[in-house]
Every structure is written in C-alpha cells, then in structure tokens.
Amino acid sequence: MASLGASLGQSALHRTLCEAVRVTALFLAFTACLPRCTECAKPSNIVLIVTDDQDVQLGGLTPMKKTKALIGDAGVIFSNAFTVTPLCCPSRSSILTGKYPHNHEVRNNSLSGNCSSPAWQKDSESLAFPVFLSKQGYQTFFGGKYLNQYGKKEAGDVDHVPPGWDQWNALVGNSVYYNYTLSVNGKEEKHGDDYSKDYLTDLILNRSLHFLDDRSPQHPFFIMLSPPAPHSPWTPAPQYEKAFSDVKAPRDGSFNKAGKDKHWLLRQPSNPMPESSVNYLDDAYRKRWQTLLSVDDMVEVLVKKLDELKELNNTYIFLMSDNGYHTGQFSLPIDKRQLYEFDIRIPLMVRGPGVQANQSLPAPVLNIDLAPTILDIAGLNLTELNMDGQSFLPQMAPSLRNGTIRSFFLVEHTGEGYESEDPACPKLGPGLANCFPDCTCEDAFNNTYACVRTLADCNLQYCEFADSESFVEVYNMTSDPHQLENIVKKVDPALLQTMNQRLIKLQSCVGSSCRDNSRR
C-alpha cells in the first residue's frame, strides 16, 4: 500500500510539474509575442502630398506616371474629387480644418482676407487636424508651402510654428522653387539657386527622409509635403527643362470659347484670344508638366523609403491638389478662381491598409473631407469634432467602416479686386485683379459666388453671384460637361427654387448640418 501511495504521489507530482512547465512555456511565448502585437496595434502612418494648382480636367496628372502606378493603381482614384473653393489659401485652410470657407473665414490669399492672419492662428489653426494627431501620439513633419501669407512679419514672422508639428520646414509666402526663405522650427533659413541644395521640391523630400530615419519606430508618423509644383513661376528641375517640348494646352471643350451667357467677368475677355496669350498659356502648360516630374520622383522615392523601413503596408499615402486650373478655357489665359469644372475638380488618389488596388470611385469627395478622414484613420471619435466634412475612409476601405455619400455640396468664392484701376486694364475701371496686358482679368469683386453641385439625383450645377446683376448660372453636366450653355432660362422654375433653397441652407451650415444631405 505504501508503495502504491508513493507511486500515486510521484504521478501527481509529475503532472504538477508538467502543468507548471506548460504554463511557463505559454507565458514565455505570450511575453515573447508582446513586442510584435504592440507593433501590430500601432495606428497607421499617414503621408499627405498637396500639390499647388494641379488640375485634373486638362491632363494635369498625365506627367505623373510613377505616381499613378504607385498610389492610384495600388489603391483608389476618386473620379469626383472637388475643392470647396478654387483658391490656394482658402482651400488649404479647408484642408487643415475640415471646414467650408464661410466657417474658417479665410476669404482670399491676403492678410486682410484672413490668410494666416493672427485671427486665423488664434482660432482655426488651433483646431487644425495636426493638433489632434499630435495628441494621439503621432510624430509630425511638415515641408513646403503652408499658407500664402505664412511667415510675413504681420503674421507672426518665421518664429510662428503652428501647433501640432514636431518638425517644421515651411516656405515663407507663396510658391517658388529657388531663392526663398524657410521657417525651420521657428528659425529663418535662406536659400539660393543651387539645384543640388535649394530646389524646394527635392529639399522637402530629403528632409522628410531624414525625419523617417530619426523617428521613433514605436509611434506612428504623419508627413505633409506641399511642393510648389505646378504653381508659377513654373521652374523645372534642370534635368526636365526640355521635357514635353511639343506639348500644347488642350484645344477641346471650352478652350478659346466666348463666355456670352456667363457672369460679367467672363463676358470681358477678347475672343478669340490674342496669339500672344495663346503662346503664353502654351508655354505655361508645358512648364507646369515639367515641374510635376519632380513631384513624380518624390512619390517614387518616398514609397521606396517606406518599403525599406517595412512601413509601406501600414501607411496611407494621399496625393491631392488645393484647386484646379485653366489654360485658355472661355478665353481666360491662366488662373483658377472660377466656378467651372476645370477649376474646382482636383486630383485625389490614396493607397493604404484596407484599400483594394485598382479602384476608381465615383462618390463625391471634397477637400474638407481630408481632415476627418485622416483623423478617422488615427482612431479619433469624429462626433466630437466640429468639422463640416466627413470621412471617406468607408468609401475607399468599406471593410473598415460604414459610411454615407453626400447628395450635394457647396462651392464658394469671394472675389478680389483693387480699389483703383488696374494699370493693365484701365478701361474696365476699379474692382478687378489678376489682369493681363490684353485686358483679360481673372478676378473681380463681382466674381463672388456660391454654387450647389449635385451628382446623386441629377448631374447639375447651380450658382448665384453676389454682383450687381444677381447673376445665376445653371449647367446640365450630363449633356453639357464643358458648361458651354447656361440653361437658367430653360429649366423648370421649381428646380431653380429647390436648388436655391439648398444653397441657402449650405451657405449657413455648420458641422453636422453640412452633412445631413447624405445618403447610405
């Protein structure tokens, strides 16, 4: 009996020891897994590239073949992406805040128009999406053009570094390629015209690569690159100065057409355009493409770097523009600021986790949607944010979120003009701006308008002008995609009333009331 008991005791002891070994092994395996699991749980990284004045309607993406392959073909291209205002500073303010211009109150590119003004810095800038990313533990980097008046003495000088940014390399003033000043973390840095050291597109890329090397791998990162291309003065890198030598601006659609049934400003240009204007815009068109080749290189280098760092599969990469552009449409030589598709449509493509490759999505997406989308990716509760836009993460990665698609949206612009006559166009009197020597003006006080654009029920644009004529323009975008005929006198008055009511509602919307026209 004693031997049997001893045998049973040894057996129980053996089972106990085995269980202890098994539990220890499980614990060791679990703790060994912790670093990998922690890394897997890290929020996704985000890269946002914002070009300056890049159209999509007139072939603006054509030069960027590597970008299309590495972002568009590897993810999604939005075929109906729009800016809510076709001008640099108001648009960039909308990208940063997720708000329509009537809510962030940036009206134009001037300090008096609230562009990077002390009032903007105190109010809207403190609620821009990088602030929230920083609070979420993101390491943040900015390089390139910020806002047109940034760094001016009246706007806080180069000492002012907006909240939310860990590394700050911002251009003072408007887009240029050489001979500029940067604010580098609040310190002035002068640059000349040496391509190897100063070309702005390459410089901000190289500094972002250093940021990636120096960052903490335990935390996610956000990089925003804002190159000058393809904004004037259209200075290409030396290796691209002879590219596209035979290219001319497209001659189809509304090119060199008269704006006979359009608002006052569009009825002024000479038609047909003088040969000097045509030659000028053709030259600008070629140089714009040439500058974009450096942005194409930027995308290639960044994607390669992320791949080398084993971060590519956990990084969303966005490419977009602040607004569109025109070169000869309705006899306007070169600029933006108009309500037409060539100025309000923008390129937008995204790749990243959960985004299937080779998608082209028709859902309308706005530049005010960038901020909520980025914060959605970062894991914030969007209901706690007072933004007018909505996340489009559900559209490009439906497995991650359920979402809604807006039925209609607002486009608005506050026209600019000089109090005195423009020397280039004295015969038209005061109140105009951006005039060419042949007396074609691209903007005016009476170029202030608001539009409702709808794609869901009918493909329609309805615009009202705050001018002396109370002018209205309406376009059937299905039958007239180039907006050649203003059909305001032909459509059902009931439809005009409906669109007017939508416009009134959108012009006063704030936050969620800007989105309650969405449908699932």
Side-chain angles (χ1 to χ4, degrees):
M1 293 293 293
S3 60
L4 179 60
S7 175
L8 286 171
Q10 290 174 352
S11 176
L13 178 62
H14 178 73
R15 289 196 303 273
T16 301
L17 288 172
C18 288
E19 181 66 17
V21 169
R22 187 179 71 84
V23 170
T24 302
L26 287 172
F27 175 77
L28 290 173
F30 174 73
T31 55
C33 179
L34 278 178
R36 292 196 298 273
C37 295
T38 301
E39 184 176 335
C40 292
K42 185 182 75 173
S44 295
N45 311 305
I46 306 163
V47 174
L48 172 61
I49 301 171
V50 181
T51 55
D52 198 351
D53 287 359
Q54 185 178 13
D55 69 276
V56 70
Q57 287 290 95
L58 306 176
L61 281 173
T62 303
M64 301 178 67
K65 300 187 185 307
K66 291 181 284 192
T67 297
K68 184 178 183 299
L70 294 171
I71 303 180
D73 294 347
V76 56
I77 295 175
F78 287 92
S79 58
N80 286 305
F82 295 85
T83 179
V84 298
T85 184
L87 186 61
C88 301
C89 197
S91 175
R92 288 166 183 264
S93 301
S94 287
I95 292 170
L96 289 164
T97 63
K99 295 182 178 182
Y100 279 116
H102 67 263
N103 287 328
H104 61 59
E105 298 183 327
V106 178
R107 296 177 294 280
N108 53 48
N109 291 341
S110 68
L111 270 175
S112 60
N114 203 29
C115 179
S116 199
S117 69
W120 152 266
Q121 293 168 10
K122 180 182 177 182
D123 299 325
S124 295
E125 192 172 67
S126 63
L127 297 174
F129 75 81
V131 175
F132 297 99
L133 286 180
S134 181
K135 290 178 180 178
Q136 287 289 100
Y138 274 75
Q139 303 161 92
T140 57
F141 174 94
F142 181 87
K145 175 179 172 179
Y146 182 57
L147 300 172
N148 297 56
Q149 297 297 326
Y150 172 77
K152 302 295 179 67
K153 293 190 183 301
E154 303 88 341
D157 216 326
V158 296
D159 300 342
H160 173 69
V161 177
W165 298 104
D166 298 320
Q167 294 295 320
W168 180 250
N169 297 266
L171 178 67
V172 173
N174 204 1
S175 282
V176 287
Y177 301 78
Y178 293 114
N179 299 307
Y180 54 84
T181 300
L182 289 181
S183 169
V184 179
N185 299 322
K187 302 295 183 182
E188 182 180 81
E189 184 178 280
K190 296 278 190 180
H191 284 267
D193 57 3
D194 184 332
Y195 171 72
S196 63
K197 298 187 299 183
D198 301 316
Y199 194 69
L200 185 58
T201 303
D202 294 353
L203 180 141
I204 60 175
L205 166 64
N206 292 332
R207 293 196 178 179
S208 73
L209 300 179
H210 290 307
F211 167 78
L212 287 171
D213 286 332
D214 296 341
R215 84 199 192 286
S216 167
Q218 283 73 41
H219 298 283
F221 59 82
F222 171 70
I223 294 173
M224 183 172 178
L225 294 175
S226 187
H231 195 284
S232 62
W234 315 302
T235 311
Q239 65 269 30
Y240 297 131
E241 287 176 348
K242 296 182 180 179
F244 311 118
S245 58
D246 297 329
V247 167
K248 293 184 177 181
R251 287 344 195 222
D252 58 350
S254 58
F255 181 83
N256 213 358
K257 294 287 197 304
K260 54 181 173 51
D261 59 355
K262 293 174 168 52
H263 60 286
W264 180 85
L265 186 65
L266 268 288
R267 301 197 296 268
Q268 304 309 311
S270 301
N271 181 262
M273 286 184 288
E275 185 178 356
S276 58
S277 291
V278 175
N279 292 336
Y280 182 81
L281 67 88
D282 277 339
D283 184 60
Y285 191 89
R286 280 190 295 272
K287 288 178 178 176
R288 283 165 54 80
W289 276 21
Q290 291 168 356
T291 65
L292 286 169
L293 291 174
S294 293
V295 182
D296 207 31
D297 292 341
M298 169 188 281
V299 171
E300 181 184 40
V301 172
L302 263 177
V303 169
K304 182 180 179 181
K305 181 69 170 181
L306 292 170
D307 194 32
E308 291 173 352
L309 295 172
K310 304 293 189 287
E311 292 283 7
L312 183 59
N313 292 335
N314 191 38
T315 301
Y316 287 90
I317 306 176
F318 295 73
L319 182 129
M320 66 176 300
S321 176
D322 52 2
N323 47 257
Y325 206 69
H326 58 256
T327 48
Q329 284 60 48
F330 297 120
S331 300
L332 296 170
I334 55 161
D335 200 44
K336 51 267 186 176
R337 306 171 209 260
Q338 302 302 324
L339 59 92
Y340 308 105
E341 297 284 280
F342 41 75
D343 283 0
I344 66 172
R345 280 186 179 267
I346 56 174
L348 175 60
M349 57 181 76
V350 192
R351 68 173 288 169
V355 181
Q356 293 184 359
N358 294 304
Q359 293 187 80
S360 178
L361 296 182
V365 171
L366 311 179
N367 61 342
I368 58 172
D369 297 336
L370 257 292
T373 301
I374 287 171
L375 295 181
D376 194 5
I377 290 169
L380 273 83
N381 182 354
L382 300 184
T383 61
E384 298 177 358
L385 303 175
N386 185 30
M387 292 184 172
D388 303 335
Q390 62 188 40
S391 172
F392 55 83
L393 182 60
Q395 272 69 56
M396 62 183 182
S399 62
L400 302 180
R401 297 280 191 282
N402 292 320
T404 58
I405 298 174
R406 59 171 52 82
S407 298
F408 51 88
F409 56 90
L410 175 69
V411 176
E412 53 189 346
H413 173 70
T414 302
E416 289 182 85
Y418 300 113
E419 296 294 342
S420 58
E421 296 175 351
D422 191 309
C425 195
K427 70 178 184 180
L428 293 181
L432 295 105
N434 299 89
C435 297
F436 284 77
D438 58 9
C439 207
T440 299
C441 298
E442 297 277 0
D443 206 2
F445 285 136
N446 72 353
N447 190 40
T448 298
Y449 58 81
C451 304
V452 174
R453 184 74 169 85
T454 178
L455 287 87
D457 302 320
C458 57
N459 196 3
L460 192 73
Q461 187 181 34
Y462 171 92
C463 301
E464 294 183 1
F465 281 80
D467 61 10
S468 58
E469 300 176 325
S470 298
F471 206 80
V472 177
E473 295 187 31
V474 183
Y475 298 98
N476 182 333
M477 302 304 303
T478 300
S479 62
D480 182 21
H482 299 296
Q483 296 163 288
L484 299 175
E485 183 185 8
N486 179 6
I487 58 171
V488 64
K489 297 179 180 179
K490 296 182 179 180
V491 296
D492 185 344
L495 176 60
L496 296 180
Q497 184 176 9
T498 297
M499 299 300 282
N500 170 262
Q501 292 303 308
R502 287 179 175 179
L503 184 60
I504 292 172
K505 178 181 177 183
L506 283 172
Q507 284 184 285
S508 60
C509 76
V510 178
S512 60
S513 66
C514 298
R515 304 188 296 271
D516 63 9
N517 62 0
S518 300
R519 57 187 176 85
R520 290 194 177 275

